[in-house]
Amino acid sequence: NQALNWTFSFNHDEAIRSYQKAAELDPDLAFAWWGIALCNGPHINNPVMDEPRARAAWDALQKAKAIAQKASPAEQALITALAARYTDPSQPPLPLTFEERAPLDKAYADAMANVHARFPEDADIAALYAESLMDCRPWDLWEPRTREPRPEAPMVLAALDKALRINPDHPGANHYYI
């Protein structure tokens, strides 16, 4: 819970430390490895990746996938979706810039849409889906001149509204709305 709250707060370094401690305490906790992989990736405040984070994300994802059968169905779905977000760093070129990552970020958002559809009553998944959409267009969900929403904006708002209906105090949904 602590690690996921740090994740929703965009304090990814603290989240990684928490996930690492959880993995140390329970090496079969696939969700901890998923979290390490997720938090090494891009987010709306930092839509690029450096090579060390790309490698750390890939390595953690491989560990999560290796023990995913021990996870809940929702956690397995999150692990599978996250696989769309990264490429093997041993197979160049390594996508690091926002532009290079755009197809991966879109594939991840599409995969998260499927996870959200499978688990529509999971507030964490709804918030993570909203974030995946925001990552496709960081800080650009509205056209500044016309104030028209970008294509992702209505889906982001719907997912956050859903999360807040499920849990009005959800840390991710509340944080993303700020």
Side-chain angles (χ1 to χ4, degrees):
N1 286 341
Q2 178 188 51
L4 196 54
N5 281 326
W6 284 127
T7 302
F8 288 136
S9 300
F10 295 110
N11 192 337
H12 288 187
D13 290 338
E14 281 302 317
I16 289 168
R17 282 189 275 284
S18 292
Y19 287 122
Q20 287 170 334
K21 183 64 175 179
E24 177 186 316
L25 294 171
D26 183 356
D28 291 334
L29 185 60
F31 194 73
W33 294 108
W34 165 87
I36 293 167
L38 177 76
C39 289
N40 272 292
H43 53 83
I44 65 170
N45 293 328
N46 187 13
V48 299
M49 288 182 76
D50 62 18
E51 188 170 340
R53 289 224 186 236
R55 291 186 184 286
W58 181 259
D59 292 345
L61 177 62
Q62 299 319 300
K63 290 175 182 172
K65 288 168 56 177
I67 55 176
Q69 74 281 2
K70 298 177 182 180
S72 72
E75 291 167 345
Q76 289 178 22
L78 288 169
I79 292 165
T80 299
L82 194 58
R85 191 179 202 201
Y86 301 122
T87 61
D88 183 347
S90 69
Q91 305 295 316
L94 190 57
L96 300 175
T97 68
F98 174 71
E99 293 75 20
E100 293 167 341
R101 292 205 43 76
L104 296 169
D105 293 334
K106 173 75 169 98
Y108 174 57
D110 291 345
M112 283 302 298
N114 292 330
V115 175
H116 180 52
R118 281 185 58 203
F119 301 95
E121 297 305 315
D122 188 309
D124 291 336
I125 288 174
L128 290 165
Y129 169 51
E131 183 192 5
S132 75
L133 291 166
M134 290 187 281
D135 290 343
C136 292
R137 198 182 289 272
W139 297 104
D140 188 28
L141 289 172
W142 305 94
E143 208 298 315
R145 287 187 336 278
T146 66
R147 299 185 181 171
E148 290 296 313
R150 303 282 192 208
E152 298 85 356
M155 295 180 289
V156 168
L157 293 174
L160 293 175
D161 285 342
K162 176 72 177 206
L164 290 172
R165 279 194 303 276
I166 296 165
N167 177 1
D169 297 320
H170 190 272
N174 278 299
H175 186 83
Y176 297 148
Y177 255 122
I178 293 175

